[in-house]
């Protein structure tokens, strides 16, 4: 089993920044791909960024490219999502999720371990 605990959500004005953190435990961190997946009210889950704990280029959904960055800290078994130039479209519950880095399936349904989520609210 893998446990994920998110923190760092909150309310911010448009144009502002937030940093989300995810601490991962329960399995060798280096064997995982960790993603940030968000869900806004009435909308489907959307994978906004993903990174392999073993390294390599991160993935970003088009709407967040140039604004969000994802990073990992192997020493702390943690993954971070730095969010800049936030707008109202970014309002959602953000989940940290993990899958085996050997899992070739993509998209939110490929992730079988999830955190509890953290709310991000951007006001205009």
């Amino acid at each position: 089993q893998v446990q994920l605990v998110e923190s760092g959500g909150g309310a911010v004005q448009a144009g502002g920044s937030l940093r989300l953190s995810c601490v991962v435990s329960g399995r060798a961190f280096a064997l995982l791909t960790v993603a940030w997946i968000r869900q806004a009210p009435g909308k489907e889950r959307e994978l906004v960024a993903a990174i392999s704990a073993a390294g390599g280029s991160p993935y970003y959904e088009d709407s967040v490219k140039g604004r969000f960055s994802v990073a990992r800290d192997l020493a702390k078994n943690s993954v971070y999502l730095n969010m800049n130039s936030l707008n109202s479209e970014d309002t959602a519950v953000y989940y940290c999720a993990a899958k085996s880095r050997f899992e070739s399936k993509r998209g939110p349904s490929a992730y079988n371990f999830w955190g509890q989520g953290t709310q991000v609210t951007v006001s205009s």
Side-chain angles (χ1 to χ4, degrees):
Q1 289 293 325
V2 176
Q3 294 80 41
L4 305 104
V5 179
E6 306 101 330
S7 61
V12 64
Q13 290 190 329
S17 299
L18 281 174
R19 186 193 197 208
L20 305 183
S21 300
C22 175
V23 179
V24 183
S25 61
R27 187 176 291 183
F29 186 54
L31 297 179
L32 300 173
T33 293
V34 180
W36 288 97
I37 297 168
R38 67 186 180 187
Q39 187 164 27
K43 295 187 177 181
E44 295 187 353
R45 295 178 300 180
E46 179 181 45
L47 195 155
V48 297
I51 188 168
S52 171
S57 299
Y59 162 85
Y60 296 102
E61 194 271 333
D62 285 347
S63 69
V64 307
K65 285 180 180 177
R67 301 189 299 122
F68 289 14
S69 64
V70 61
R72 78 202 194 285
D73 185 332
L74 294 176
K76 296 182 178 181
N77 279 14
S78 296
V79 175
Y80 307 97
L81 184 67
N82 295 297
M83 305 185 293
N84 299 310
S85 301
L86 286 161
N87 59 60
S88 58
E89 296 296 310
D90 297 316
T91 294
V93 176
Y94 284 71
Y95 297 91
C96 178
K99 66 173 184 175
S100 167
R101 68 181 180 95
F102 303 107
E103 171 60 71
S104 60
K105 294 179 182 178
R106 298 185 178 186
S109 62
Y111 291 79
N112 44 2
F113 302 104
W114 292 70
Q116 81 282 0
T118 186
Q119 177 71 46
V120 171
T121 302
V122 184
S123 59
S124 55

